[in-house]
Amino acid sequence: DVKVTQSSRYLVKRTGEKVFLECVQDMDHENMFWYRQDPGLGLRLIYFSYDVKMKEKGDIPEGYSVSREKKERFSLILESASTNQTSMYLCASSLPGANVLTFGAGSRLTVL
Amino acid sequence: SQQGEEDPQALSIQEGENATMNCSYKTSINNLQWYRQNSGRGLVHLILIRSNEREKHSGRLRVTLDTSKKSSSLLITASRAADTASYFCAKNSGGSNYKLTFGKGTLLTVNP
């Protein structure tokens, strides 16, 4: 069964901490994505990557960075977490073309 | 910016009834997709309809697309309690094969 695995389902961090959210896919997909989901706002794209070491900003990249050193792994980094980054973070991957996304189960981050 | 706005925001029906959710968008599309999200989990792809298609079926799901009205609808027939979830439409953004832009979703509750 193909999978996108997010390393942490729930995290609680303090303001100013550096936070790493890890995502691994086993489908050999070129594209990987990080979304955040907030009530009333739906899913918003933070960053995406279409190849190793390649990345593009999504709609809300401020306060985030990403790393894609290997094809199967895409990391989201919060350099200095803030309370307004409390959210559900969803990782996804896809093949190029029709771009059907396979999502991970999500990581719920609370920043105190 | 958000593309793919769902209507209604919430829908409550009885088991056995049909559920219809609508999605509008603003610019041209390559394809439009529907996803389901169970509470607190990641999204699962349901169905994709291309811009040159008008209707598509998958089991109890029927999706229509009207490009002249820039709208799509998802019909779930003979609903079950297990269909209770949030449903999102997602537009493949013009000019890129990478990005999907999601709406805010419709929360469907199917009462037993």
Side-chain angles (χ1 to χ4, degrees):
Chain A
D1 194 18
V2 294
K3 275 187 178 177
V4 176
T5 303
Q6 295 184 230
S7 56
S8 303
R9 288 282 285 130
Y10 300 96
L11 301 94
V12 179
K13 298 291 182 181
R14 297 208 174 272
T15 300
E17 281 192 80
K18 191 169 185 176
V19 181
F20 292 88
L21 298 178
E22 304 285 345
C23 176
V24 177
Q25 51 96 2
D26 64 0
M27 296 168 286
D28 203 34
H29 282 174
E30 281 80 1
N31 302 334
M32 296 189 76
F33 305 81
W34 277 106
Y35 287 86
R36 67 176 280 178
Q37 183 178 23
D38 301 286
L41 296 177
L43 278 77
R44 293 178 291 168
L45 182 64
I46 305 171
Y47 267 98
F48 65 98
S49 169
Y50 51 90
D51 202 351
V52 175
K53 297 190 185 294
M54 305 303 290
K55 61 185 180 184
E56 284 196 26
K57 293 179 179 179
D59 299 317
I60 52 163
E62 296 79 17
Y64 303 94
S65 62
V66 290
S67 172
R68 188 143 181 227
E69 296 296 318
K70 294 184 178 181
K71 189 175 185 179
E72 66 271 18
R73 187 179 298 271
F74 192 37
S75 302
L76 180 68
I77 303 154
L78 287 67
E79 293 288 342
S80 178
S82 62
T83 55
N84 63 11
Q85 292 178 311
T86 291
S87 187
M88 169 73 101
Y89 290 87
L90 294 164
C91 176
S93 70
S94 76
L95 292 169
N99 205 27
V100 171
L101 299 185
T102 301
F103 281 86
S107 297
R108 186 167 293 281
L109 172 67
T110 301
V111 183
L112 302 175
Chain B
S1 64
Q2 294 284 331
Q3 295 270 8
E5 298 295 334
E6 291 88 345
D7 166 57
Q9 289 185 340
L11 180 61
S12 181
I13 59 174
Q14 298 298 124
E15 258 190 331
E17 294 181 341
N18 296 342
T20 299
M21 289 157 272
N22 302 298
C23 171
S24 61
Y25 57 92
K26 297 177 182 176
T27 58
S28 62
I29 59 169
N30 298 322
N31 65 66
L32 188 141
Q33 302 176 34
W34 286 89
Y35 288 79
R36 183 185 75 201
Q37 183 181 35
N38 291 93
S39 180
R41 307 296 294 183
L43 280 73
V44 175
H45 178 259
L46 294 175
I47 199 164
L48 178 153
I49 188 165
R50 292 187 167 80
S51 59
N52 61 353
E53 297 176 311
R54 292 296 167 259
E55 188 170 312
K56 211 160 181 183
H57 296 256
S58 177
R60 294 184 295 112
L61 305 180
R62 173 180 167 244
V63 168
T64 60
L65 179 66
D66 186 335
T67 53
S68 66
K69 295 181 179 178
K70 292 187 169 56
S71 67
S72 174
S73 67
L74 170 67
L75 169 68
I76 304 174
T77 59
S79 63
R80 305 167 182 167
D83 294 327
T84 294
S86 291
Y87 292 83
F88 295 85
C89 67
K91 184 178 86 77
N92 187 313
S93 302
S96 168
N97 274 332
Y98 308 131
K99 285 180 59 175
L100 280 184
T101 307
F102 287 81
K104 297 176 184 178
T106 293
L107 175 60
L108 172 66
T109 302
V110 181
N111 301 299

